[in-house]
């Protein structure tokens, strides 16, 4: 498989198929990233179209820093566009408007039995602000200070949302595993 450096060199040299190869290499990955933030596929497609326009038109300004840096850059653009889309849709609910979960959700879920698709689907069922903070903290490894800055919230609000999201997701996983066991 072509390395990121080879692909970027091909793009820089004006190779006709290089941009298409870049798109093909990251399209499915970008879709998976987008679906973590926005569970509606049609909306994700719109976000990805905007993301790839930005990627393909600014690729020559990308600063290569080693294998994996291109993938990280693509991830960042898709995440930012997804968050901007959610913000533009005014979908961030107030944390106070969402109910607390009961205290009986401390059970540690068996995540190992879930396929990545099921886990993505369950994450997609979280309220949008829970889903966004969870994704940024767990998958993008952003500290709460950065999440707060990106979302225009306080740092302790980000921590609180993450705690609630984690608790809600754990309950959803336990419930899913229970349902799955009952049907076997």
């Amino acid at each position: 498989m072509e390395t990121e450096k080879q692909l970027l060199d091909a793009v820089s040299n004006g190779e006709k198929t290089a941009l298409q190869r870049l798109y093909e290499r990251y399209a499915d990955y970008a879709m998976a990233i987008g679906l973590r933030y926005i569970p509606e596929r049609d909306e994700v497609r719109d976000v990805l179209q905007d993301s790839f326009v930005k990627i393909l038109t600014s690729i020559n300004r990308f600063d290569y820093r080693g294998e994996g840096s291109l993938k990280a850059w693509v991830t960042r653009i898709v995440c930012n566009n997804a968050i901007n889309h959610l913000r533009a849709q005014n979908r961030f609910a107030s944390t106070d408007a969402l109910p607390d979960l009961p205290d009986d959700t401390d059970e540690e879920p068996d995540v190992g039995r879930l396929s990545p698709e099921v886990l993505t689907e369950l994450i997609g069922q979280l309220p949008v602000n829970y889903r966004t903070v969870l994704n940024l903290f767990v998958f993008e490894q952003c500290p709460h200070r950065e999440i707060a800055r990106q979302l225009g919230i306080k740092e302790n609000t980000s921590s609180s949302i993450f705690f609630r999201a984690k608790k809600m997701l754990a309950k959803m996983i336990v419930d899913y595993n229970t349902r799955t066991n009952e049907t076997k």
Side-chain angles (χ1 to χ4, degrees):
M1 179 181 208
E2 183 175 40
T3 67
E4 286 183 351
K5 180 69 171 140
Q6 291 168 329
L7 181 57
L8 288 166
D9 287 344
V11 169
S12 294
N13 293 332
E15 193 175 308
K16 289 183 180 187
T17 62
L19 291 176
Q20 180 65 32
R21 292 196 317 269
L22 184 139
Y23 174 81
E24 289 170 356
R25 181 171 182 165
Y26 293 110
D28 290 341
Y29 174 75
M31 175 62 86
I33 297 296
L35 286 170
R36 284 199 320 238
Y37 290 89
I38 305 167
E40 298 84 13
R41 282 189 176 274
D42 288 340
E43 289 185 49
V44 173
R45 284 186 189 102
D46 291 343
V47 168
L48 293 185
Q49 181 177 350
D50 293 344
S51 297
F52 274 102
V53 165
K54 185 172 193 170
I55 290 164
L56 297 176
T57 58
S58 59
I59 190 71
N60 289 325
R61 293 188 307 269
F62 170 70
D63 182 25
Y64 180 74
R65 297 178 183 199
E67 197 65 26
S69 61
L70 179 59
K71 186 175 186 178
W73 184 64
V74 168
T75 300
R76 176 73 12 238
I77 290 172
V78 172
C79 289
N80 287 342
N81 280 352
I83 290 168
N84 289 340
H85 175 80
L86 293 170
R87 197 177 290 126
Q89 299 291 318
N90 204 16
R91 293 210 200 153
F92 289 103
S94 165
T95 357
D96 299 331
L98 296 167
D100 281 327
L101 294 173
D103 289 333
D104 64 349
T105 57
D106 292 333
E107 185 177 344
E108 196 61 35
D110 184 5
V111 181
R113 294 179 28 205
L114 297 178
S115 69
E117 294 80 17
V118 169
L119 183 57
T120 298
E121 182 181 322
L122 293 175
I123 290 171
Q125 293 173 19
L126 291 170
V128 69
N129 52 347
Y130 285 25
R131 182 174 63 238
T132 303
V133 170
L134 179 89
N135 280 313
L136 287 169
F137 188 79
V138 173
F139 296 106
E140 311 311 326
Q141 300 180 338
C142 290
H144 287 294
R145 179 177 49 255
E146 174 63 19
I147 295 169
R149 187 192 64 71
Q150 283 187 24
L151 301 181
I153 59 177
K154 295 179 182 170
E155 189 173 340
N156 62 350
T157 302
S158 175
S159 298
S160 174
I161 291 172
F162 175 70
F163 174 77
R164 290 179 182 185
K166 195 168 86 167
K167 201 169 183 180
M168 182 179 274
L169 183 60
K171 178 161 180 21
M172 292 165 70
I173 292 169
V174 168
D175 291 349
Y176 177 85
N177 286 337
T178 301
R179 284 191 313 272
T180 304
N181 285 338
E182 290 172 358
T183 59
K184 288 184 179 181

